[in-house]
Amino acid sequence: MSCFSGLTGASKRATGTQDRGSGRQRLYENITETVGNTPCVKINEKMCPAGRTIYAKLEYFNPCSSVKDRLACAIIEAAEKEGKLKPGDTVVEATSGNTGIAVSMLCAQRGYKCVICMAEPFSVERRKLMRFMGAKVIITPKAGKGTGMVAKAKELAQKHGWFLCSQFENEANAAFHKLTTGPEILADFEGQRLDYFVLGYGTGGTFAGAGAAIKAERPDVKIVLGEPEAAPLLKSGTKSERNADGSAIGSHPAFAAHPIQGWTPDFIPQIVEKGLEAVGYDEYIGIPGAGSIETSQMLAKTQGIFTGISGGASMWAAIEIAKKAPEGSVILAMIADTGERYLTTPLFESIQADMNEEELVISKSTPSFQLG
């Protein structure tokens, strides 16, 4: 059964808390049917520049808390329809974490075995989440970067006859976003102003797919594409060399390590390249790693929005666009995942497990139940 259940719409637009208690007005056969239809939430004046409006599309409302749940649905469903997967088969993929978690979910629900290849630098909690859902996780050396983990997954697929997801080349990825993410945005902003759509890229599926859907219906919406300042692959103008299957041959010369996990691997994915040709972008923005981390922390402390470093990166870019956009402009930023994937990363370096001095003072302000 399809993960995407379709856009239901409403006879009249709900506002505030009007739709609390209304339920979803349907029941679900399995967890994958809940993927999609994530909310767009307004950012308040503590972060949004005056005279502009910013919304965040919160992809952590997906069942495994990231936009990659859509990708997993796209690839697994397409493989099933094409007869490439049958009960008991093994699925293998290379990932920085979110795709692996999403693929682990799909495989658990469908009954497939799952093997994930992931490079050393990505957060340990991602490994544990995948293993928790039954996947086997193969760690590749840091020196191999993203191309190394991709090569390992391909090698394993060829050796054992496993199904390789090929998320960076698989056209089902962008197609799913064109059918779901883009139409969701158009539906939510129907009759409303929308001037900018701001996002980065990992595989490029959201950019190529949702971007195409939005541009087809609302060509005046400007697509703003971001990438880490430390790894300006697109800005360099140098294309990635490719194998016959579309995968990158090696590491891109403009790549350098950056903290925005899930964004900009050490090559330009084929899906991104095709998206640039078919959709393009209106503005480019380089995003600092420190600014991404700080913005993620600010989203938590001022908006109650709990997202990772890539979510901070998207919002940093949206705020910078808002600063120079015409008054009245409306900006939508993609927020890819939850902050819980980053507990062992620089995002949480300043967050201590033990009580600080201020907390100790509060504890001691009453006599009972104090730690020794």
Side-chain angles (χ1 to χ4, degrees):
M1 186 172 289
S2 172
C3 297
F4 177 54
S5 56
L7 298 172
T8 59
S11 57
K12 76 176 180 179
R13 183 181 291 268
T15 59
T17 59
Q18 288 176 346
D19 54 354
R20 282 185 181 170
S22 63
R24 290 179 178 256
Q25 301 178 38
R26 61 158 294 179
L27 300 174
Y28 297 90
E29 290 294 321
N30 64 69
I31 191 63
T32 69
E33 291 182 357
T34 69
V35 172
N37 290 326
T38 56
C40 295
V41 176
K42 188 176 180 180
I43 301 301
N44 69 31
E45 71 284 351
K46 293 176 183 177
M47 292 186 71
C48 184
R52 284 78 181 162
T53 304
I54 298 175
Y55 287 91
K57 186 164 175 63
L58 303 180
E59 287 295 296
Y60 61 72
F61 274 71
N62 283 308
C64 272
S65 304
S66 91
V67 67
K68 299 301 186 181
D69 290 3
R70 298 178 189 263
L71 179 155
C73 281
I75 291 174
I76 299 300
E77 284 185 7
E80 290 171 338
K81 289 175 183 175
E82 294 166 7
K84 295 178 181 178
L85 274 175
K86 61 183 185 298
D89 279 354
T90 297
V91 175
V92 61
E93 182 56 318
T95 172
S96 62
N98 281 330
T99 295
I101 293 165
V103 170
S104 298
M105 171 187 70
L106 262 291
C107 288
Q109 192 280 318
R110 296 290 212 266
Y112 303 124
K113 300 180 185 72
C114 183
V115 176
I116 299 297
C117 298
M118 191 167 74
E120 275 184 292
F122 300 115
S123 64
V124 172
E125 48 268 38
R126 299 178 185 217
R127 304 178 194 177
K128 291 185 176 182
L129 285 168
M130 289 183 280
R131 287 173 174 145
F132 188 77
M133 286 190 285
K136 305 299 182 186
V137 182
I138 310 305
I139 307 302
T140 60
K142 178 180 179 180
K145 306 175 188 175
T147 50
M149 66 184 188
V150 170
K152 184 66 173 180
K154 186 184 296 187
E155 184 181 71
L156 288 169
Q158 292 171 349
K159 169 72 174 179
H160 301 287
W162 296 340
F163 173 75
L164 179 64
C165 291
S166 301
Q167 62 169 319
F168 299 103
E169 299 84 41
N170 197 318
E171 293 183 1
N173 178 354
F176 195 86
H177 284 285
K178 189 175 181 179
L179 288 172
T180 65
T181 316
E184 288 170 28
I185 292 167
L186 292 167
D188 287 350
F189 283 90
E190 184 178 2
Q192 308 291 317
R193 182 169 178 174
L194 179 61
D195 299 289
Y196 298 89
F197 178 45
V198 181
L199 73 168
Y201 69 89
T203 65
T206 310
F207 157 61
I214 292 168
K215 280 289 191 180
E217 294 295 324
R218 298 183 65 163
D220 292 338
V221 175
K222 294 180 174 65
I223 294 177
V224 180
L225 190 58
E227 64 181 353
E229 277 185 347
L233 277 61
L234 299 182
K235 185 179 180 181
S236 74
T238 302
K239 292 186 175 183
S240 283
E241 296 182 21
R242 303 200 180 281
N243 296 303
D245 64 0
S247 60
I249 290 176
S251 190
H252 194 284
F255 180 81
H258 62 83
I260 309 175
Q261 293 191 19
W263 272 26
T264 312
D266 65 317
F267 55 90
I268 299 173
Q270 187 180 51
I271 294 172
V272 173
E273 193 170 283
K274 289 183 176 180
L276 292 173
E277 294 170 358
V279 182
Y281 58 84
D282 299 284
E283 295 191 36
Y284 169 92
I285 187 166
I287 304 169
S292 303
I293 291 169
E294 181 181 354
T295 305
S296 174
Q297 293 168 342
M298 286 295 292
L299 282 167
K301 293 173 181 176
T302 69
Q303 312 294 316
I305 290 175
F306 186 44
T307 185
I309 300 173
S310 64
S314 290
M315 188 55 62
W316 185 93
I319 292 168
E320 291 303 306
I321 291 296
K323 289 176 182 177
K324 64 179 184 178
E327 188 167 356
S329 292
V330 177
I331 299 113
L332 174 64
M334 287 295 294
I335 302 299
D337 68 359
T338 173
E340 289 184 355
R341 305 277 151 87
Y342 300 83
L343 297 175
T344 59
T345 75
L347 185 61
F348 279 80
E349 274 185 356
S350 63
I351 308 300
Q352 303 301 314
D354 296 327
M355 286 190 288
N356 60 27
E357 289 300 320
E358 186 177 1
E359 290 165 340
L360 286 169
V361 169
I362 294 170
S363 175
K364 292 176 181 178
S365 67
T366 62
S368 63
F369 302 103
Q370 294 180 19
L371 291 179

